[in-house]
């Protein structure tokens, strides 16, 4: 990006190269320091409890899977599988529901535009700016009175509403990237709407749809406030379970780290996979 | 995407002259499920919150429920702990946003050049943002801040040990500086977000313009002040506003690290506590409405920024 195209005198070029090597090394150092707490968590998760809680820290202690073994229930604690499965259910189902609702909406906002489409876009966005706590009590009362408390499907509905505005915005920006000319060309060739959607729009928008899904999945998986207030035992999600790892059994650092690693793993995987599209998603499609 | 193009797209499906109103509804139809769903799930609860906020309602004594007009609002503004949580929210949000934007800008500048392993370093830098917020908060609370064997004190003990210091200072971070402890954890999580947005901004600079300035003899600092910074302005605004909207609502870090103690209770946490533990439904609702009004002020600016970026994008398409 910053490689100069104009020829430079060799002395300056050498100085420039040395400077950019130094900055590259600096970037590496800063990256490692910045990520150090997370890397430390990963390392601690493979340590025995006695090595995890030492001062000064024990970098070279022998590695073990004990933390993970205890977390997965071999140590007699509550099994993390039901919460993990709940989280997976809530995240996957709400992501699917978001896609079902957002795709047609984005179609109406980008390809076959409704009148005043920008106003509609901003209505969607404004719901995202409404603080969650402002609606929490009625939602809780509704759940309580309809017997939906501690029900994972109720969370699915809430997570869908939480992610729908983001998805509509992202999807709109991805669908708007489909050139009108190829849609028109396909229609001139006699293709009907479903064919156009499947053969022309879908392939172009597929990476965007995938990124949208990943981001919705991440936000649902991470959510704590709704899950904390609205679930109990049966529908407990992984983040809620995680907050209980410490309180129920006292503080075991290696186990806590192992638990954090396991719960974060799906999000890390999804995030690394969507790196390039992450920005566009997080800025609601406003930045490309 | 021109309107005529959009109309043309639907042409083959219509036989003869379709009535205008039916066509308009055919265009609107795909939008309606999402709109109706969103209004039902997000707007109706808020209306209910507004209604509840005018009642004196404690769920522990449900028979005493009575209309109380604005008394809950009076209490929100006169209760010292609620007022303090307003102050805490502002302080926490502002400090986290400002620090993470500055750090994010520095990291973005560092990453905006070719070097070996750039992709890997970027992955390292965004990792904090991808940890589940609860696990990040737990990590800071127990693994880093722990006064006896936390990494911060441990690394400090190791470092001073190199110089033969036997008993270095080992602060109890969370009890000595609770708000800063929460803020540091949040800054660590949000800096990558700012970096990603600003990096996108840096990479959309016009290369020719930069090269022209370089040939004109501008030095790096001049180019940064006169070209890069003005170009980044919108991206900075966007980062600040989106960051504010998310951090104002932060619950996970406050809940996990201090459980709202030691003067770190922000509004979301206080509202959660008021209704979930104190069962003061009316009061919690009034506080919620106040938060919304505050958010609307911020969001108005946010929408304006997003809309200017958005219109620019729409204009280009």
């Amino acid at each position: 990006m910053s490689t100069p195209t104009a020829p430079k005198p060799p002395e300056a070029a050498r100085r420039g190269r040395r400077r950019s090597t130094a900055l590259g090394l600096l970037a590496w150092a800063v990256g490692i320091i910045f990520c150090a707490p997370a890397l430390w968590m990963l390392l601690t998760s493979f340590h025995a409890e006695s090595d995890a809680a030492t001062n000064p820290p024990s970098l070279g202690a022998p590695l073990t899977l004990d933390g993970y073994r205890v977390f997965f229930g071999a140590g007699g604690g509550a099994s993390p599988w039901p919460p993990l499965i709940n989280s997976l259910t809530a995240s996957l189902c709400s992501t699917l529901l978001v896609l079902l609702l957002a795709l047609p909406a984005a179609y109406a906002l980008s390809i076959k535009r409704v009148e005043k489409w920008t106003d509609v876009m901003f209505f969607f966005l404004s719901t995202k700016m409404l603080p969650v706590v402002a609606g929490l009590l009625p939602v809780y009362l509704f759940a309580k009175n309809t017997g939906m408390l501690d029900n994972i499907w109720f969370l699915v509905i809430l997570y869908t509403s939480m992610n729908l505005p983001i998805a509509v915005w992202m999807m709109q920006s991805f669908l708007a990237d489909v050139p009108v000319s190829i849609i028109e060309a396909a229609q001139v060739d006699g293709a009907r709407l479903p064919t156009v959607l499947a053969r022309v729009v879908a392939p172009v928008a597929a990476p965007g749809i995938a990124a949208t899904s990943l981001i919705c999945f991440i936000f649902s998986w991470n959510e704590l406030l709704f899950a904390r207030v609205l679930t109990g035992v049966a529908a407990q999600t992984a983040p809620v379970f995680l907050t209980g790892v410490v309180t129920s059994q006292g503080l075991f650092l290696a186990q806590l780290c192992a638990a954090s690693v396991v719960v974060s793993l799906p999000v890390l995987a999804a995030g690394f996979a969507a790196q390039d599209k992450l920005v566009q998603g997080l800025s609601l499609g406003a930045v490309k | 995407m021109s309107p005529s193009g959009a109309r043309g797209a639907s042409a083959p499906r219509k036989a003869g002259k379709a009535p205008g109103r039916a066509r308009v509804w055919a265009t609107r139809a795909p939008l309606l499920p999402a709109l109706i769903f969103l209004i039902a799930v997000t707007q109706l609860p808020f209306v209910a919150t507004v209604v509840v906020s005018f009642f004196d309602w404690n769920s522990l004594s449900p028979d005493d429920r009575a209309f109380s007009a604005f008394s809950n609002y009076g209490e929100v503004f006169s209760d010292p702990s609620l007022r303090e949580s307003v102050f805490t929210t502002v302080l926490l949000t502002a400090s986290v946003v400002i620090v993470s934007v500055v750090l994010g800008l520095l990291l973005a500048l560092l990453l905006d050049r070719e070097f070996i392993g750039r992709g890997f370093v970027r992955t390292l830098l965004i990792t904090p943002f991808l940890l589940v917020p609860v696990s990040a908060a737990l990590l800071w609370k127990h693994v880093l801040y722990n006064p006896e064997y936390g990494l911060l004190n441990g690394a400090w003990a190791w470092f001073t040990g190199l110089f033969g210091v036997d008993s270095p200072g080992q602060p109890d971070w969370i009890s000595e500086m609770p708000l800063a402890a929460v803020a540091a954890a949040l800054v660590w999580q949000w800096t990558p977000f700012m970096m990603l947005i600003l990096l996108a901004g840096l990479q959309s600079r016009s290369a020719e313009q930069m090269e022209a300035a370089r040939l004109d003899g501008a030095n790096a600092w001049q180019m940064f002040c006169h070209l890069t910074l003005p170009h980044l302005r919108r991206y900075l605004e966007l980062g600040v506003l989106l960051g504010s909207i998310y951090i104002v609502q932060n619950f996970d870090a406050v809940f996990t690290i201090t459980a709202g103690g030691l003067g770190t209770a922000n509004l979301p946490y206080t509202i959660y506590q008021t209704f979930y533990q104190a069962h003061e439904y009316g009061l919690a609702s009034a506080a919620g409405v106040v938060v919304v009004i505050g958010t609307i002020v911020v969001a108005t600016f946010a929408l304006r920024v997003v809309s200017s970026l958005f219109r620019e994008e729409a204009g280009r398409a």
Side-chain angles (χ1 to χ4, degrees):
Chain A
M1 162 133 297
S2 58
T3 27
T5 46
K8 278 189 170 184
E11 179 58 27
R14 207 173 323 128
R15 215 178 321 130
R17 220 175 308 135
R18 220 178 302 142
R19 190 164 152 261
S20 95
T21 312
L23 282 170
L25 285 175
L26 180 66
W28 267 91
V30 170
I32 290 169
I33 291 171
F34 194 77
C35 194
L39 297 172
W40 183 251
M41 180 172 91
L42 183 66
L43 183 66
T44 306
S45 75
F46 289 108
H47 278 169
E49 290 297 348
S50 54
D51 295 321
T54 58
N55 185 354
S58 49
L59 256 176
L63 302 181
T64 157
L65 284 172
D66 284 356
Y68 291 89
R69 238 172 257 141
V70 176
F71 173 66
F72 280 113
S79 166
W81 285 114
L84 285 170
I85 291 167
N86 280 335
S87 273
L88 205 61
T89 312
S91 307
L92 287 179
C93 292
S94 83
T95 301
L96 202 67
L97 199 54
V98 165
L99 288 183
L100 280 177
L101 291 167
L103 263 174
Y107 173 79
L109 289 166
S110 60
I111 290 176
K112 201 168 146 194
R113 269 175 184 163
V114 293
E115 71 277 34
K116 297 194 176 162
W117 62 279
T118 51
D119 294 348
V120 181
M121 291 283 290
F122 283 107
F123 170 74
F124 276 109
L125 190 57
S126 67
T127 64
K128 188 65 211 165
M129 293 177 177
L130 202 67
V132 166
V133 282
L136 193 59
L137 174 69
V139 167
Y140 168 78
L141 291 176
F142 178 84
K144 202 172 151 192
N145 292 328
T146 53
M148 297 291 270
L149 227 45
D150 205 13
N151 182 327
I152 198 69
W153 301 108
F154 193 62
L155 276 191
V156 168
I157 301 285
L158 292 173
Y159 290 173
T160 303
S161 78
M162 179 177 89
N163 288 327
L164 188 56
I166 303 174
V168 168
W169 267 73
M170 282 183 79
M171 221 88 95
Q172 192 277 339
S173 83
F174 290 119
L175 289 189
D177 284 346
V178 182
V180 192
S181 53
I182 56 169
I183 296 176
E184 282 171 351
Q187 275 166 339
V188 169
D189 290 345
R192 287 174 161 274
L193 184 71
T195 324
V196 173
L197 286 181
R199 294 280 169 80
V200 181
V201 177
V204 181
I209 295 171
T212 310
S213 316
L214 283 174
I215 282 174
C216 293
F217 178 86
I218 291 175
F219 280 137
S220 309
W221 184 276
N222 284 350
E223 206 280 332
L224 177 70
L225 185 54
F226 278 135
R228 160 96 201 153
V229 171
L230 300 170
T231 70
V233 185
Q236 189 184 53
T237 63
V240 180
F241 181 81
L242 201 52
T243 60
V245 165
V246 178
T247 48
S248 63
Q249 295 143 38
L251 182 55
F252 294 102
L253 278 194
Q255 190 202 336
L256 176 69
C257 289
S260 296
V261 170
V262 171
V263 173
S264 289
L265 217 51
V267 174
L268 282 167
F272 290 152
Q275 263 191 62
D276 296 327
K277 297 280 180 196
L278 206 57
V279 195
Q280 195 174 348
L282 295 171
S283 59
L284 305 166
V287 167
K288 290 195 183 174
Chain B
M1 194 140 319
S2 67
S4 66
R7 218 170 293 135
S10 62
R13 291 173 64 208
K14 286 194 301 283
K17 262 196 289 177
R21 193 173 293 170
R23 204 182 56 201
V24 166
W25 279 104
T27 329
R28 279 179 194 160
L31 195 61
L32 293 180
L35 263 182
I36 293 167
F37 181 88
L38 213 57
I39 290 170
V41 184
T42 69
Q43 312 290 295
L44 292 185
F46 177 61
V47 173
T49 301
V50 174
V51 173
V52 174
S53 76
F54 291 116
F55 283 86
D56 186 13
W57 182 3
N58 185 313
S59 72
L60 297 181
S61 46
D63 299 334
D64 294 341
R65 189 166 25 164
F67 183 75
S68 64
F70 287 94
S71 79
N72 285 322
Y73 289 90
E75 200 170 332
V76 167
F77 288 108
S78 60
D79 181 344
S81 73
L82 272 169
R83 250 191 326 210
E84 202 191 313
S85 76
V86 173
F87 179 69
T88 304
T89 310
V90 173
L91 191 66
L92 189 66
T93 309
S95 59
V96 170
V97 169
I98 292 168
V99 175
S100 58
V101 163
V102 172
L103 287 178
L105 178 60
L106 293 175
L107 292 178
L109 287 169
L110 207 50
L111 244 67
D112 181 43
R113 49 174 69 238
E114 298 286 350
F115 60 88
I116 299 161
R118 185 167 82 154
F120 183 73
V121 172
R122 188 173 82 154
T123 304
L124 282 179
L125 286 174
I126 62 173
T127 302
F129 190 70
L130 293 177
L131 287 184
V132 171
V134 177
S135 58
L138 286 168
L139 166 71
W140 280 82
K141 176 173 181 165
H142 296 295
V143 183
L144 300 183
Y145 287 143
N146 187 300
E148 281 155 49
Y149 40 74
L151 183 62
L152 288 182
N153 283 352
W156 178 240
W158 169 81
F159 180 75
T160 51
L162 294 179
F163 300 96
V165 178
D166 270 344
S167 48
Q170 299 277 281
D172 183 348
W173 300 93
I174 296 177
S175 59
E176 282 174 37
M177 43 191 97
L179 200 57
V182 173
L186 283 171
V187 163
W188 184 68
Q189 277 234 292
W190 283 91
T191 299
F193 172 80
M194 303 299 177
M195 181 201 75
L196 285 173
I197 287 185
L198 293 173
L199 193 59
L202 284 176
Q203 300 191 331
S204 70
R205 273 178 310 179
S206 127
E208 292 116 65
Q209 217 180 19
M210 298 297 287
E211 193 53 42
R214 207 194 317 271
L215 290 176
D216 285 345
N219 63 32
W221 177 246
Q222 286 170 326
M223 277 167 53
F224 178 74
C225 290
H226 297 292
L227 280 178
T228 306
L229 220 48
H231 173 79
L232 280 186
R233 205 188 116 192
R234 323 263 281 308
Y235 296 88
L236 286 165
E237 288 173 342
L238 187 73
V240 167
L241 291 163
L242 288 176
S244 309
I245 285 164
Y246 282 109
I247 294 163
V248 161
Q249 301 197 35
N250 180 274
F251 173 77
D252 305 26
V254 172
F255 174 78
T256 310
I257 297 179
T258 59
L262 308 164
T264 59
N266 61 353
L267 277 166
Y269 186 84
T270 307
I271 295 171
Y272 159 82
Q273 221 180 12
T274 310
F275 107 78
Y276 202 65
Q277 282 160 13
H279 306 279
E280 288 284 1
Y281 288 179
L283 190 59
S285 299
V289 174
V290 172
V291 177
V292 170
I293 294 169
T295 309
I296 287 172
V297 176
V298 178
T300 312
F301 288 104
L303 282 173
R304 202 171 301 160
V305 171
V306 178
S307 98
S308 71
L309 276 165
F310 177 68
R311 276 180 223 295
E312 202 173 72
E313 198 64 49
R316 225 184 295 154

